[in-house]
Amino acid sequence: MPEKERRMANIRRLIYGLALIIAALIQNSVAFLPRLLNVKAVLLLPLVIGVAMQEFEIPALFFGLLAGLLADIFSAAPGGFNALLFTSFAFLVSALINTVMRNNIVTALLFNGLGLLIYFPTHWLFTVVLKAREGALAVFLTFHLPSALYTLLFFPMFYYFAGAVKRRTHIRAL
Amino acid sequence: MRRFIKSTGFKVFLAVIAVILAGSITAVFTNSNTAPQTSVAGTFFGPLQRFSSYLAHNVADFSLNFKSSASLLKEKEELEARIDELSERLVDYDRAKYTLELYEEFLGVKEENPSFKFVAAPVVGRDPLDYFVNLTLGKGSLHGVKVNDPVIYGKNLVGVVVSVMPTQSKVSTLLNPDFNVGAYETGTREGGFVTSDLTLSPLGYCKLPGLEKSTAISPGSLVVTSGIGGIYPRDIIIGKVVDIANDSDDISSYALIEPAVSFSQLSDVFIIVDFAGDGAQVSGAVE
């Protein structure tokens, strides 16, 4: 890899890393992110998917790992839950984009939809159902589902952000 | 597919997943209840999150002043500058007043319970997907905090430390169904344990179950910790009884309790890291 290309790739990954840290700070802080219907969004999930869609598998999985670790610091879920899911999402999304799928907004919507379908029910299972079964479904419908929909609102912003960073730091070989 | 499985990327992925799983398994067998990788991340990320939390509280304090300034754009510049200066002073005053009140309460608790050893801790974060209002505090094992240390605000019980990282710790509050604390009602001395469930938690209530149908406990009475179990000191205020209801599972009744603490507004708490009877089985004069 030429020197300039490598430097631009490093700058891009630095920007992605900083974006993940800022998203984690906003997501976990008490006052930054407004509550909608008394729920908050998990910003790291659409951001990880957006970044993974622009990166190769190995950098993508490390971005997933970083996001998961940042989420795990504050999470009520069992230790390593977010790291495990985010790393897997990032790796699979990147592998699919780099082999069989097109990189566009529809694919981003598909990945985010699938990500939410896996992440939120699994989180609900570990943090609610395992504690108390009675009323667990109501918790999912009134808390986790609105939170998933709120999270989905952020996917276009993060998809276009990650794409814009990639375009501005990408050097095509002649 | 075979090429994908044999690729370097897939091997790295499996290695990372194995490390995460090993960390998660380790967390189960350690006293801290925290995966090592989360502890490392928490140590590096902690100071940043504390700063962000401080900023978030100040942004919330400043929002009113910001709006006021916006509506005064047509006023003369001298007046705007004066208003801004006074607003900043007012925010500083409010924060100082809040801190003073907090420490006054703390001093009262300390005078009443000389055996208590405290660590003051800021609330630095909350899990956006946590249904039970658990908290992350900006103090951890480096400050002497351990799993099962009680957390209080003034004379009121907030919860208990459930996992510890070097510079942060997670607290399970009274609203978590996993949380149980030995308790009694001060007037009748009827006792049991206080917990919550999925229907009471979002309403901000917990309950004292297992009471007799003919219980003498009435709305308005105070429920405090009994000290039984040795995790919580005796006579820390849990909350006030708001209703007596029949249990749907058996013939007993339960007291519906409104916690004395407003969990959503907490920004600083105290962790009791040591007290007389810590870890001991206390036999209380509680029915």
Side-chain angles (χ1 to χ4, degrees), chain A residues 21 25 27-29 65 69-70 72-76 79 88 91 119-120 123 127 131-132 134 136 139 143 147, chain B residues 9-10 13 16 20 24 37 42 45 48-49 52 56 125-129 131-132 136 165 168 170 176 178 198:
Chain A
I21 290 172
L25 287 173
Q27 171 183 307
N28 298 319
S29 288
L65 179 65
L69 290 175
L70 293 175
D72 273 333
I73 298 170
F74 301 93
S75 180
S88 306
F91 177 74
Y119 182 79
F120 281 84
H123 191 283
T127 59
K131 288 174 194 234
E134 196 178 337
V139 173
F143 184 76
S147 187
Chain B
F10 190 71
F13 170 67
V16 171
I20 296 169
S24 302
Q37 70 269 17
F45 192 64
L48 211 53
Q49 186 65 38
S52 151
R126 293 163 198 264
D127 178 7
L129 260 191
Y131 192 67
F132 305 115
T136 303
M165 290 167 265
Q168 298 188 80
K170 290 183 194 171
N176 193 325
D178 281 349
L198 292 180

Side-chain angles (χ1 to χ4, degrees), chain B residues 130-209:
Chain B
D130 182 25
Y131 192 67
F132 305 115
V133 207
N134 294 328
L135 313 168
T136 303
L137 306 181
K139 293 287 169 70
S141 56
L142 292 178
H143 308 95
V145 180
K146 310 176 297 296
V147 170
N148 283 339
D149 279 346
V151 178
I152 59 170
Y153 178 79
K155 295 174 183 174
N156 309 312
L157 186 65
V158 172
V160 65
V161 174
V162 288
S163 71
V164 181
M165 290 167 265
T167 57
Q168 298 188 80
S169 48
K170 290 183 194 171
V171 175
S172 180
T173 65
L174 283 166
L175 300 180
N176 193 325
D178 281 349
F179 183 93
N180 288 298
V181 53
Y184 71 98
E185 193 273 317
T186 51
T188 62
R189 304 189 76 77
E190 277 187 72
F193 65 94
V194 166
T195 188
S196 191
D197 60 36
L198 292 180
T199 49
L200 297 179
S201 185
L203 304 172
Y205 292 128
C206 46
K207 64 179 180 179
L208 177 64

Side-chain angles (χ1 to χ4, degrees), chain B residues 102-119 152 154-155 236 270-276:
Chain B
L102 181 69
Y103 277 83
E104 270 177 357
E105 275 212 64
F106 163 66
L107 191 63
V109 177
K110 182 71 182 164
E111 279 173 353
E112 284 173 23
N113 306 278
S115 73
F116 285 9
K117 282 186 185 166
F118 296 97
V119 171
I152 59 170
K155 295 174 183 174
I236 301 286
F270 290 99
I271 307 168
I272 304 176
V273 293
D274 193 21
F275 61 94

Side-chain angles (χ1 to χ4, degrees), chain B residues 79-95:
Chain B
L79 281 174
E80 284 180 348
R82 184 72 182 144
I83 289 167
D84 288 345
E85 187 192 332
L86 288 173
S87 301
E88 278 180 33
R89 280 190 193 175
L90 191 63
V91 171
D92 288 345
Y93 168 76
D94 284 342
R95 282 200 70 80

Side-chain angles (χ1 to χ4, degrees), chain A residues 115-134:
Chain A
L116 295 173
L117 272 177
I118 296 167
Y119 182 79
F120 281 84
T122 317
H123 191 283
W124 169 72
L125 188 72
F126 276 103
T127 59
V128 178
V129 180
L130 291 181
K131 288 174 194 234
R133 283 182 193 163
E134 196 178 337

Side-chain angles (χ1 to χ4, degrees), chain A residues 44-59:
Chain A
L44 286 170
L45 185 59
L47 182 55
V48 161
I49 291 174
V51 168
M53 289 180 74
Q54 308 298 338
E55 286 286 347
F56 288 112
E57 290 92 328
I58 295 178

